[in-house]
Amino acid sequence: MSYKLSILDQSPIFPGSTAANALEKTVLLAKKAEEWGYSRFWVSEHHHSDQVAGSSPEVLISYLLAQTSTIQIGSGGVMLQHYSPYKVAENFHVLSTLAPGRVDLGVGKAPGGLPLSTKALQYGTVNDGKDFSEKLSFLRELIENSVDETHPYSGIKATPIPEEKPELFLLGASVKSAQLAAELGISFVFAKFINSDNRVLDDAAKVYRSGFPDGRFIISLAVIAAPSQAVAIQLAGERKIVKVHLQSGRTVTLQTLEQAELFGNQAGEPYEITEKNADIIAGTPTYVNEVLDKLHQTYQVDEFILHTPIEKETERFQSFQLLSPRNSNGKTGIKIRKEYPYIASQIFFKD
């Protein structure tokens, strides 16, 4: 296998459970991911949610770094539109100083929640999200300790300066995001579980590769592995991806119609909602590996980050174990231990 496998976890809160229990399970999965040979373990950022506990990836990352020893730990991602690039750089420089060479800084364009939580996060500031490219560029300069002398904040440093800086990634689901990552010379993660249009993926891969030939091109996708094809397909069910299209031109992806309607109502502008089947790779480990191999060959993918939307605890945990890089021959004869498996949760993602 000439590509890496990693995990995206969202600290889901199971029905009848608690946020404390959800975070405890995230810690366990990170430890298991390290044991199973996964390259990275990323945690997401969601706000004002009863379904996920991961509202502060920086805090959670620090604890996960202390509980593991070799696996890369990072954000998938920090919702930069809400924050000062300077403060984000400081946070991740502290993390990188504590755990040199193990910290990933994944940055997303999405709000990570509904308009109400966005307004609360940006309380006292004016931010319409149109300056994202400028913010990301400044963040990269701070991480590289190379703020240009023509910049208004020339001379500023995000201290402490770590011996090994965090690696910067842009998360996106559009050609525009791929182009921005290429222009800035940073790694790019295409969210195929959000945008399943292969034409967009094809264009994004070409734009990124042509603009930054030495860059790291990663695909994040929804995957469900099970001992049999029939069981995997049953687990996948008929999941949907719901998009809210605002009159202002913004598009945001959510998991349910209820969430989409709430988002539209809170946005304070006309909107339309579209719904389509979720793009999920479901099957035996052998089948899933064959699909990943094909994607790797087609798009020269360096790495896949797996999101596993299963609403059954044991089966979700089993899926990650079956696809373990240390079990990459696709055999399903491994013993599955029923301990703290997972459930999928809501996702907010913007192109």
Side-chain angles (χ1 to χ4, degrees), residues 14 46 58 75 88 97 101 158 206 226 243 288 293 299 301 311 326 349:
F14 307 133
H46 295 87
E58 303 93 333
S75 55
V88 173
T97 302
K206 289 178 180 177
K243 291 182 179 288
V288 172
D293 287 343
Y299 300 108
V301 181
E311 294 179 356
R326 293 191 177 140
F349 209 100

Side-chain angles (χ1 to χ4, degrees), residues 211-257:
F212 188 28
D214 297 328
R216 191 194 307 268
F217 183 70
I218 299 171
I219 295 179
S220 182
L221 31 67
V223 172
I224 297 174
S228 74
Q229 197 77 15
V231 170
I233 292 173
Q234 182 181 25
L235 288 170
E238 298 181 355
R239 302 177 190 280
K240 303 291 184 181
I241 290 293
V242 186
K243 291 182 179 288
V244 180
H245 308 273
L246 300 175
Q247 188 180 59
S248 60
R250 292 189 299 150
T251 298
V252 180
T253 302
L254 302 103
Q255 286 294 91
T256 67
L257 283 172

Side-chain angles (χ1 to χ4, degrees), residues 38 42 60 122 127 135 142 166 215 219 232 237 251 253 259 291 349:
Y38 284 95
W42 282 6
L60 185 52
Q122 299 176 4
N127 187 350
K135 278 190 165 186
L142 289 165
I219 295 179
T251 298
T253 302
Q259 293 169 3
V291 175
F349 209 100

Side-chain angles (χ1 to χ4, degrees), residues 170-192:
L170 175 60
L171 287 58
S174 68
V175 177
K176 183 178 180 180
S177 291
Q179 182 175 0
L180 176 59
E183 290 173 351
L184 294 179
I186 61 178
S187 299
F188 179 63
V189 183
F190 183 89
K192 193 175 188 300

Side-chain angles (χ1 to χ4, degrees), residues 14-331:
F14 307 133
S17 187
T18 65
N21 188 244
L23 293 173
E24 180 182 314
K25 293 174 184 179
T26 288
V27 174
L28 177 60
L29 185 58
K31 291 179 178 180
K32 288 298 181 182
E34 182 172 74
E35 177 184 318
W36 294 335
Y38 284 95
S39 295
R40 306 175 198 281
F41 188 85
W42 282 6
V43 293
S44 59
E45 177 180 333
H46 295 87
H47 301 286
H48 193 188
S49 172
D50 296 326
Q51 296 177 294
V52 292
S55 60
S56 180
E58 303 93 333
V59 174
L60 185 52
I61 287 169
S62 66
Y63 192 82
L64 294 176
L65 287 168
Q67 296 294 315
T68 55
S69 58
T70 58
I71 192 171
Q72 295 289 122
I73 303 292
S75 55
V78 169
M79 302 295 101
L80 187 59
Q81 67 165 282
H82 305 311
Y83 311 120
S84 156
Y86 184 64
K87 185 57 179 176
V88 173
E90 284 186 326
N91 285 339
F92 279 81
H93 276 182
V94 169
L95 293 170
S96 295
T97 302
L98 290 169
R102 293 185 54 213
V103 179
D104 296 333
L105 172 48
V107 174
K109 298 172 67 177
L114 302 180
L116 183 61
S117 61
T118 293
K119 292 175 183 177
L121 284 164
Q122 299 176 4
Y123 178 77
T125 65
V126 177
N127 187 350
D128 58 8
K130 293 180 180 179
D131 61 348
F132 179 84
S133 297
E134 181 181 342
K135 278 190 165 186
L136 182 60
S137 178
F138 185 37
L139 176 60
R140 182 188 64 80
E141 291 178 351
L142 289 165
I143 295 296
E144 298 287 345
N145 193 24
S146 61
V147 178
D148 191 270
E149 61 181 11
T150 62
H151 195 280
Y153 301 126
S154 175
I156 191 68
K157 293 183 179 181
T159 56
I161 304 297
E163 292 184 6
E164 296 186 58
K165 61 180 179 293
E167 182 173 359
L168 186 59
F169 301 76
L170 175 60
L171 287 58
S174 68
V175 177
K176 183 178 180 180
S177 291
Q179 182 175 0
L180 176 59
E183 290 173 351
L184 294 179
I186 61 178
S187 299
F188 179 63
V189 183
F190 183 89
K192 193 175 188 300
F193 67 95
I194 295 297
N195 189 341
S196 59
D197 189 334
N198 285 329
R199 294 171 299 179
V200 176
L201 171 59
D202 187 66
D203 290 342
K206 289 178 180 177
V207 165
Y208 184 73
R209 287 300 186 195
S210 62
F212 188 28
D214 297 328
R216 191 194 307 268
F217 183 70
I218 299 171
I219 295 179
S220 182
L221 31 67
V223 172
I224 297 174
S228 74
Q229 197 77 15
V231 170
I233 292 173
Q234 182 181 25
L235 288 170
E238 298 181 355
R239 302 177 190 280
K240 303 291 184 181
I241 290 293
V242 186
K243 291 182 179 288
V244 180
H245 308 273
L246 300 175
Q247 188 180 59
S248 60
R250 292 189 299 150
T251 298
V252 180
T253 302
L254 302 103
Q255 286 294 91
T256 67
L257 283 172
E258 291 77 12
Q259 293 169 3
E261 290 170 355
L262 277 174
F263 191 101
N265 291 334
Q266 291 181 15
E269 61 179 282
Y271 65 92
E272 293 183 356
I273 295 176
T274 59
E275 185 180 31
K276 64 183 297 185
N277 291 331
D279 181 29
I280 300 175
I281 301 170
T284 63
T286 299
Y287 172 79
V288 172
N289 286 332
E290 288 174 352
V291 175
L292 296 184
D293 287 343
K294 185 176 180 179
L295 286 169
H296 164 68
Q297 294 167 6
T298 302
Y299 300 108
Q300 292 77 55
V301 181
D302 296 298
E303 187 172 339
F304 293 100
I305 299 180
L306 309 182
H307 161 61
T308 300
I310 299 177
E311 294 179 356
K312 295 185 178 181
E313 298 183 9
T314 299
E315 287 80 354
R316 185 172 188 267
F317 195 77
Q318 180 188 56
S319 179
F320 286 125
Q321 189 172 359
L322 286 172
L323 293 173
S324 161
R326 293 191 177 140
N327 186 52
S328 59
N329 56 11
K331 294 181 180 179

